[in-house]
Each structure stands twice: as C-alpha cells, then as structure tokens.
C-alpha cells in the first residue's frame, strides 16, 4: 500500500471512498484516546478535589509536618510517607533475594518440567487479592511474630507482618520480570563461558546476571512502586494510627491505608478530611510515577542489545 | 559432543564432565532452591491457615444466606450478587472499549508518516476521479473534509499515537486506590451517581481497561501479518482484513486476557471502599445491571473486609476465612477457564 505510485493509471488505482470505514476507524481511535482522558482525569480530580486542602494546610507544613491528626488540623505527611517507605523497604528486603533467587533458578537451573509446575503457582500468587494477604498477615503472621517475641503481646498490628506479606505479593512480580530478562541473554554467552570451564554458579552470577542487570533492576524498582501503592494488606495489618518511626516491630499507617480509613468513615465532599485524601493521593500518584519513570530510564540507559 | 543432540534449553547447556565436589556450587544451588521454597511455602501456609479457619463455616447456607449482624446467621449472598453485577458492568464497559483501542493501537497506529501521506494522496485522487463522475453537494463536502482530515492526520497522527502508547503503559502501573479516588470524584462527586454498584462497576471498568488493552494487543500481535496481507492481496481494505481475518483469529487470546483482567477486578477492594465507603447493607442487590444505580455497593472483598474489621475476632474470623475461600475459588475457576480457552483455541501459525 505504501508503494502506490502517484502516476499509475487512474482506473486501476481509485477505490471507492468508504465513509463507514473511516467512521469505524474514528471510533476505534477514540477508544484509544480515551486512555489519555483517564490520565488527565486522574490528575485533574486529584488536584481539583484536593484544592481546598492547601488553604487549610500550607504545602510547607504538609511536607515537613511530623504529625497527622486531622481532628486537630495537623496535616503533616511525613509519618504517612515514612510508613509507605517502611513497607516498601521491608517488602524489598524479603522479596528481592527471594524473587531474584527464584528467577535465577527458573532460568538457569530448573528442568522444563519443574518450570512448568512452578510458574503457574507463582502466577496464582501474583493474582492473589491483597485483602487475602492482609487477612493472612493479621490472622497468622503477626501472632507468630508475637510468639517469637518480636512484636509486643498487646499489639495486633505491625509493620513487619504487613511488609512481609507485601513482599510475598511482589515476589512473583520480580521473579517473572527478572526471569524474562535472564532468558533474553543469548545462549552463545552461556556456551562461551562454559567452554572456558566456568561452573554453573559462575556463569549465573558473573555472566548472566550482569548481562541482564538492567531488566533485573527495572523489575525491582517496579515491584517497589507496587509495594508503595499496596493498600489492603497494609490497611488490615500495619496499624490504625500514623506513627513516625523506623522501628519495623512497631505499628503505623501508610498513605494508602489512611485513604481507606478516611473513606470508610463516609467523609462528605467539601470537608477538609475529604480534601486531604485527594492531597495525599496526589503525593502517592507522583511518587509512583517518579519510580516508574526511573524504571524506564534504567532500562533505556543500561540496556545492552544483543544480536 | 558431535553425537549428542543439541541441548533443548539453557538449563541443559551444562559442562560436559562433573568436576570435583565444590561446596560453593552446591550451596548456591540450594540457596536458589530455598528461595523458591520460601515463596511456594508461604503460599501453602496461607492456604492451610485460611482453610483451617474457614472450612467449618463454609456451607450451602453460607452462600445463600443474607448478611446479618449475627455471626451465626450471616451469609455471603449479598456479596456474591454484588460482585456478579459489578462484573457485568465492568465487562460491558471495559471490553468494547479495550478491544477497540487494542485493534486501533496494534493495527492502525503504527502507520508511519509516509504511509499516512500515501493514503491521503490516494483519497485526494479518488475524490477528483469521482468529481468527474458527478459528485456534488453535501457528499462532496464530506469527502473533502475526509481528505483534509487524513492530510492533517499524516502530520499529527504519529506523535499522538506515541503519547497514547506511553500513557497506557503508565496507567497500568498506577496504584488501584488512585482509581478509587478518580471514581469517587468523577462519578460520585461530579456526576452525582450515588455510592452504588454502578459507581463501583464503572470505577473497576476504568481500572481494568489498560490491562485489557495490553492483553488484547498481545493477542492481536500473535496473528501473523501474512494473514492480513493475504486478505488485502485479494482486494480487502485494511479494515476488512482486520475485521474478518485478524480479529476472529485473535479472539480466543483476547478473551483469555479479558478473563484474567476480570479476575483481578473481582479481588479489588481498595477502590471500592474509596468509592462507596465500607457500606454495610442487608439488602440483596438486584441482579439487573440496569438498576445498579440505586443498589448498595456490596462485593465479596468488601464483605470480607467488613468481617475482618469487626472486633470479636473469634466470631467473625471464620466467616471472613470462608468468604476468602469462596473468593479464591472463584478466581481459580476463572483462571482455569482462561487456561482451557488458551489451550483449546490457541493455534500455532
């Protein structure tokens, strides 16, 4: 179709104009364009619905305040931000080694049969609703932590329990994305290393992992962005009071769990508390967006292209 | 080496001879095994703990009884009906939009500036040809608009399409609770829809739309271009080739992606709480999606959340666990349907 020459005989080249077809294409294109509208809608509503909030709390107080007590008009985002970061860190400490180990095992060690068995189970874990994981953390993991003496006997919530299940949630994410990156390393590199007498471990750690590093890094960064945005496990298991602390055995709230806690209480439009969830929603949106952009940049900057 | 067949996968490309026992090698392999075991073991632990707590409450009565403030009589019927209606709305809204967007992005958006220019030129020529055969009045005007539009599109189209591409992959990474805030502001606060199944269903539809688009695009991409080119060589227009050849071949894959996206929507809790509050109602929602505008927002994960949050844990915990079993059961069934669909209709080209 791109080879049509302008001076070809007119009788052969002209086609019927098909207005219906052009209309159909227009509809298909509009459906695709709708996705841009969704993004604009997200940014617009977060800014517009939260607008009144900034007159109650100055952005400086908001970003540097160490207390979040809506009742007494104290809106400092630091305890919520630290909670979200804490969850992401705890999840990462558990999920990065486990996810990466699983990825290396699946890509370099597992027999096709083992892969066929393990991958669907990991997919099942990836599709697990987060409320299930929250229940698991609250009902099973935290009591175990209490019995181990890590968490106080009277404390039914803890960052650690919530962080562990969020870690469990992002393990399949890291595993499958990293495995894709590892498998994309060409066979010739493996064979070359084996030919020089390298052992399996050396091939995996010195050849394959460095070659796939950009993909692995991106998978970890994306997984951490998920952990920051994770809601239900944190709502159920991390705690009910904002708490500026770096003690993983303590309890506290995150940006997402505050949004849920406020929404539960039927905040009506126009009140400061209603506006505040859009303000912290905007913070969450910006944070996850920045993390995702970092992931894209990592892939773009460090990717090695093999032919 | 020459007599052995080439290794099938990277895992089999191993050194020819076993060397002497190397502790580091063995330790490394067992560390990898341990990481897999940790992930799978945690999943098993989760299942066992939910099963032991919930199995005793799981019964036919549990599925068919209404919600109640007494733990002994409380059931899951409201939640089941609510989730069913939510799914109907989500699928009805997100699937047509998602399929249309995927078709456009995969088949029509990648056209380059030059290709679009050729199309515009051809339309121009067709117009002139037809003017010679007495095209006039409103139809001439429409045809002229069409030609002008395709000229403009040849310039602005490719960059716009690139923006849409980037945008969709970004949307898929937005936390689900943000979609909840969008739904609350857009549907409830601005458009005045009540905090109902309708508002929840529309929110979930927006949430799964990027997932459906991405999955459907993969399915369409898997159909080899020779199919489309064959149809076009026989005189079909691009749209005719796509509609009657490519889309039917891609349909099983698109449906598989849709089922997986829907199964994600079924488990979503946070956006529904943000849109509707943790509503508690003993009313069983009507199954007619057209009445969803005034039905209370109830769903399986919301009911589970309500039970988990109640103070007397020994009373409500088993109910929550039973509800989780039903939820997981639903997801497993949907995933099995998707797998069967994929295996039954997948074709190797």
């Amino acid at each position: 179709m791109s080879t049509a020459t302008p001076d070809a005989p007119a009788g052969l080249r002209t086609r019927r104009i098909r207005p219906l077809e052009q209309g159909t294409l227009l509809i298909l294109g509009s459906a695709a364009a709708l996705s841009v509208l969704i993004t604009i809608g997200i940014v617009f509503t977060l800014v517009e619905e939260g607008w009144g909030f900034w007159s109650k709390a100055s952005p400086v107080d908001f970003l540097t305040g160490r207390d979040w007590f809506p009742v007494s008009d104290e809106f400092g985002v630091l305890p919520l931000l630290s909670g979200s970061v804490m969850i992401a860190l705890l999840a990462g400490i558990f999920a990065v080694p486990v996810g990466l180990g699983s990825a290396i095992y699946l890509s370099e060690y597992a027999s096709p049969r083992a892969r066929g068995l393990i991958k669907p189970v990991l997919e099942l874990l990836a599709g697990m609703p987060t409320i299930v994981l929250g229940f698991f953390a609250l009902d099973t993991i935290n009591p175990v932590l209490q019995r181990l003496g890590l968490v106080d006997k009277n404390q039914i919530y803890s960052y650690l329990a919530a962080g562990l299940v969020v870690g469990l949630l992002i393990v399949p994410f890291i595993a499958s994305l990293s495995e894709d990156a590892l498998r994309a390393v060409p066979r010739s590199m493996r064979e070359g290393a084996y030919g020089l007498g390298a052992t399996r471990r050396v091939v995996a750690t010195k050849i394959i992992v460095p070659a796939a590093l950009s993909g692995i890094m991106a998978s970890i960064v994306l997984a951490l962005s998920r952990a920051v945005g994770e809601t239900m496990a944190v709502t159920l298991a991390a705690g009910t009071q904002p708490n500026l602390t770096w003690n993983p055995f303590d309890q506290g709230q995150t940006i997402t769990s505050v949004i849920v806690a406020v929404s539960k209480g039927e905040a009506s439009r126009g009140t400061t508390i209603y506006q505040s969830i859009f303000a912290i929603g905007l913070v969450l949106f910006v944070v996850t967006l920045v993390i995702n952009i970092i992931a894209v940049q990592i892939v773009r900057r460090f990717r090695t292209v093999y032919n | 080496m020459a007599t052995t067949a080439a290794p099938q996968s990277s895992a089999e490309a191993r050194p020819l001879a076993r060397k002497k026992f190397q502790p580091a090698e063995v330790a490394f392999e067992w560390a990898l095994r341990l990481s897999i075991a940790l992930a799978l073991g945690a999943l098993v632990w989760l299942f066992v703990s939910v099963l032991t707590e919930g199995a005793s409450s799981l019964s036919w009565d549990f599925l068919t009884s209404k919600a109640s403030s007494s733990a002994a009589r409380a059931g899951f019927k409201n939640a089941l009906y609510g989730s069913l209606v939510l799914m109907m709305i989500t699928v009805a809204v997100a699937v047509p939009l998602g399929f249309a967007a995927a078709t456009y992005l995969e088949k029509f958006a990648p056209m380059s500036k030059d290709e679009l220019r050729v199309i515009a030129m051809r339309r121009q020529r067709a117009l002139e040809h037809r003017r010679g055969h007495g095209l006039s009045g409103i139809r001439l005007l429409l045809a002229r608009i069409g030609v002008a539009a395709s000229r403009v599109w040849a310039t602005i189209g490719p960059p716009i399409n690139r923006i849409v591409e980037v945008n969709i992959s970004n949307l898929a990474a937005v936390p689900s609770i943000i979609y909840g805030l969008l739904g609350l502001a857009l549907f409830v606060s601005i458009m005045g829809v009540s905090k109902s199944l309708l508002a929840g269903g529309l929110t979930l539809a927006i949430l799964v739309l990027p997932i459906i688009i991405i999955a459907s695009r993969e399915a369409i991409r898997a159909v080899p271009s020779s199919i489309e080119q064959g149809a076009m060589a026989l005189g079909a227009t691009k749209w005719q080739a796509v509609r009657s050849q490519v889309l039917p071949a891609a349909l099983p894959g698109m449906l598989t992606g849709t089922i997986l996206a829907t199964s994600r929507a079924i488990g979503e809790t946070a956006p529904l709480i943000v849109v509707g509050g943790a509503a508690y109602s003993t009313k069983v929602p009507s199954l007619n999606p057209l009445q969803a505008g005034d039905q209370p927002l109830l769903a399986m994960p919301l009911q589970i959340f309500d039970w988990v949050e109640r103070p007397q844990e020994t009373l409500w915990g088993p109910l929550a666990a039973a509800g989780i079993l039903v939820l997981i059961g639903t997801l497993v069934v949907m995933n099995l349907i998707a797998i069967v669909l994929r295996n039954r209709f997948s074709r190797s080209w």
Side-chain angles (χ1 to χ4, degrees), chain A residues 185-253:
Chain A
V185 176
R187 272 181 64 83
S188 55
M189 291 184 65
R190 291 187 179 84
E191 284 164 355
Y194 283 134
L196 292 173
T199 58
R200 267 182 152 189
R201 175 183 60 92
V202 173
V203 172
T205 56
K206 297 271 159 64
I207 308 288
I208 310 295
V209 169
L213 201 61
S214 71
I216 293 174
M217 295 286 285
S219 81
I220 292 173
V221 173
L222 282 176
L224 291 183
S225 136
R226 278 214 159 173
V228 169
E230 210 299 306
T231 309
M232 290 322 292
V234 177
T235 302
L236 285 178
T240 51
Q241 290 298 321
N243 188 357
L244 185 58
T245 173
W246 294 106
N247 175 6
F249 309 114
D250 210 338
Q251 63 96 38
Q253 268 183 314

Side-chain angles (χ1 to χ4, degrees), chain A:
Chain A
M1 111 193 290
S2 54
T3 55
T5 42
D7 48 8
L12 268 179
R13 288 285 154 198
T14 46
R15 283 196 189 177
R16 263 172 43 222
I17 299 176
R18 300 171 180 273
L20 216 64
E21 204 159 287
Q22 276 179 277
T24 316
L25 278 188
L26 203 61
I27 294 173
L28 296 185
S30 320
L34 188 72
S35 70
V36 180
L37 274 185
I38 295 177
T39 307
I40 296 174
I42 289 176
V43 175
F44 174 78
T45 52
L46 288 179
V47 171
E48 194 262 346
E49 294 292 295
W51 194 249
F53 176 79
W54 304 106
S55 61
K56 306 269 177 16
S58 79
V60 176
D61 290 347
F62 175 70
L63 288 175
T64 59
R66 302 171 66 88
D67 291 297
W68 181 270
F69 288 123
V71 195
S72 54
D73 277 350
E74 284 182 80
F75 295 102
V77 80
L78 280 184
L80 314 185
L81 213 50
S82 76
S84 294
V85 171
M86 179 94 117
I87 292 293
L89 282 182
L90 290 171
I93 290 171
F94 174 75
V96 169
V98 171
L100 199 52
S102 307
I104 296 175
Y105 183 79
L106 286 175
S107 145
E108 305 299 316
Y109 283 80
S111 64
R113 224 183 103 100
R115 264 176 58 83
L117 284 173
I118 293 169
K119 287 213 77 166
V121 182
L122 281 181
E123 273 170 36
L124 183 67
L125 185 56
M128 193 62 70
T130 58
I131 189 162
V132 177
L133 291 160
F135 178 76
F136 180 54
L138 180 72
D139 197 64
T140 309
I141 299 216
N142 204 53
V144 169
L145 295 177
Q146 282 177 331
R147 237 171 292 149
L148 291 174
L150 293 171
V151 172
D152 191 80
K153 285 272 175 292
N154 305 317
Q155 185 185 322
I156 60 168
Y157 309 106
S158 71
Y159 275 131
L160 186 57
L164 282 176
V165 290
V166 175
L168 190 58
L169 184 77
I170 61 175
V171 161
F173 199 71
I174 296 181
S176 91
L177 286 181
S178 296
E179 195 212 341
D180 290 345
L182 292 171
R183 288 172 78 84
V185 176
R187 272 181 64 83
S188 55
M189 291 184 65
R190 291 187 179 84
E191 284 164 355
Y194 283 134
L196 292 173
T199 58
R200 267 182 152 189
R201 175 183 60 92
V202 173
V203 172
T205 56
K206 297 271 159 64
I207 308 288
I208 310 295
V209 169
L213 201 61
S214 71
I216 293 174
M217 295 286 285
S219 81
I220 292 173
V221 173
L222 282 176
L224 291 183
S225 136
R226 278 214 159 173
V228 169
E230 210 299 306
T231 309
M232 290 322 292
V234 177
T235 302
L236 285 178
T240 51
Q241 290 298 321
N243 188 357
L244 185 58
T245 173
W246 294 106
N247 175 6
F249 309 114
D250 210 338
Q251 63 96 38
Q253 268 183 314
T254 66
I255 295 179
T256 51
S257 67
V258 167
I259 296 178
V260 169
V262 170
S263 308
K264 254 184 352 188
E266 302 267 326
S268 51
R269 194 186 187 195
T271 56
T272 312
I273 189 84
Y274 171 91
Q275 291 161 347
S276 74
I277 60 173
F278 286 91
I280 57 177
L282 187 62
V283 173
L284 176 66
F285 180 71
V286 171
V287 168
T288 50
L289 189 68
V290 168
I291 299 180
N292 290 330
I293 290 172
I294 291 174
V296 172
Q297 289 301 322
I298 289 176
V299 171
R300 193 169 296 164
R301 176 115 15 122
F302 299 107
R303 184 172 48 189
T304 334
V305 180
Y306 305 101
N307 323 305

